[in-house]
Amino acid sequence: MRKHTLTALFCLMAGASACIVSCKKDSAPAKSTNEAGVSQTTLDQISALGFSTAEVRKVDGGYLVEGDILLSENDLTTKVNSPFLRTAKEEQYRTNNLVTGLPRVITIKVSNLGTAFIAGTDTAIARYNRLGLTITFRRVTSGSANITISGFNQGPSGGYITLGSAGFPTSNGNPYNSIRMNTNTAAYGTNPNVLYVGSVIQHEIGHCIGFRHTDYFDRSLSCGGSASNEGSAGVGAILIPGTPSGFSSNSWMLACSNGGNRTFNSNDIVALNYLY
């Protein structure tokens, strides 16, 4: 993304478009880590899964890639067996694994976050539940939950700020169990806008139930900069039937946020109803 485009465009799926490469000068040894101290071995594993190695960061629980996807150490050794897809620009994509056991209620708990994150969670839940899907969401305040939303604090890097992160459904049909939201004031300010926070949580829930980025094949469509393909990443990028071609700037699963309120567009609703 060009820095001069960052008026109100914050990255949900961050990362520079250029690949990280090892460099030699005269007889100096090749670079063995990136700027965040991630080893070249780990970067190679991430690349083999089909993810970009730009802006990879070590975080609690694993590695943050492309801004909002969390890969555990176990994920790094996953065998890639899914096809690589690249097709029309507004068709929706899902992972190989989806939430099963439908109809199903998915519980969500907000852990140690402020009122704006709680209200944002309620906003996201209400938006999903209004669609009448075979999955519904309910926020709980005690006990265990299917998805726990917690915080982390990370400032901007390279002109980007990570707003949140999540992962994809497990092979046993459960949603990904964690969403992490950035509590750094550079992400949402000192008085977070509930609709903005809710839109990010809505996006991360989308990952938890099996949605890839609408523009996974070219993140520049929402993030700017040079074209960058996220790849099948070992989790699949399967076209959801019924979603028409033609780029849209409004999908809730675009890689980069527009810096404000964003909810489902008509094709997002088609995709959600097809799967759930």
Side-chain angles (χ1 to χ4, degrees):
M1 183 185 294
R2 297 180 182 89
K3 291 185 178 180
H4 68 264
T5 65
L6 286 173
T7 52
L9 186 64
F10 297 110
C11 200
L12 284 164
M13 200 68 172
S17 59
C19 294
I20 294 176
V21 295
S22 298
C23 300
K24 278 189 175 182
K25 184 176 181 180
D26 299 328
S27 59
K31 187 177 180 180
S32 59
T33 64
N34 71 355
E35 292 180 359
V38 179
S39 73
Q40 187 61 50
T41 298
T42 298
L43 294 175
D44 290 343
Q45 289 175 307
I46 291 169
S47 178
L49 289 174
F51 288 105
S52 169
T53 56
E55 301 293 326
V56 174
R57 299 185 189 185
K58 183 73 174 72
V59 297
D60 291 342
Y63 298 89
L64 196 65
V65 301
E66 294 172 354
D68 78 334
I69 301 300
L70 183 63
L71 297 179
S72 68
E73 294 286 354
N74 288 337
D75 292 332
L76 297 182
T77 59
T78 299
K79 182 179 179 181
V80 177
N81 57 9
S82 58
F84 184 83
L85 302 176
R86 181 174 184 155
T87 56
K89 294 184 178 180
E90 195 187 295
E91 294 172 327
Q92 310 286 328
Y93 302 89
R94 69 171 178 88
T95 56
N96 295 325
N97 296 328
L98 296 173
V99 176
T100 59
L102 307 175
R104 181 171 179 179
V105 176
I106 296 174
T107 55
I108 299 178
K109 182 170 67 175
V110 181
S111 177
N112 298 317
L113 290 173
T115 56
F117 292 93
I118 295 171
T121 300
D122 290 339
T123 296
I125 287 173
R127 289 174 173 179
Y128 278 98
N129 288 348
R130 278 196 294 267
L131 300 181
L133 305 172
T134 55
I135 52 172
T136 55
F137 298 89
R138 178 167 58 89
R139 185 170 65 85
V140 297
T141 57
S142 62
S144 60
N146 300 121
I147 300 172
T148 298
I149 301 177
S150 58
F152 70 100
N153 190 316
Q154 185 180 82
S157 175
Y160 292 87
I161 180 72
T162 301
L163 300 178
S165 67
F168 300 116
T170 61
S171 58
N172 62 5
N174 289 320
Y176 190 76
N177 63 7
S178 175
I179 293 173
R180 301 174 74 240
M181 296 292 289
N182 198 349
T183 58
N184 192 283
T185 56
Y188 301 104
T190 57
N191 184 27
N193 180 282
V194 169
L195 293 179
Y196 183 23
V197 172
S199 297
V200 176
I201 292 173
Q202 182 179 348
H203 176 101
E204 301 305 339
I205 290 174
H207 285 314
C208 290
I209 63 173
F211 279 87
R212 294 292 304 269
H213 287 145
T214 308
D215 54 347
Y216 88 95
F217 56 89
D218 184 358
R219 293 188 307 104
S220 69
L221 294 171
S222 65
C223 300
S226 301
S228 178
N229 193 317
E230 295 171 8
S232 63
V235 297
I238 301 169
L239 174 65
I240 299 173
T243 52
S245 62
F247 176 64
S248 168
S249 61
N250 295 316
S251 173
W252 107 105
M253 288 309 296
L254 286 171
C256 283
S257 169
N258 62 1
N261 184 27
R262 176 186 280 161
T263 187
F264 308 117
N265 67 21
S266 60
N267 294 311
D268 296 334
I269 294 172
V270 169
L272 280 158
N273 276 284
Y274 184 87
L275 296 185
Y276 296 113

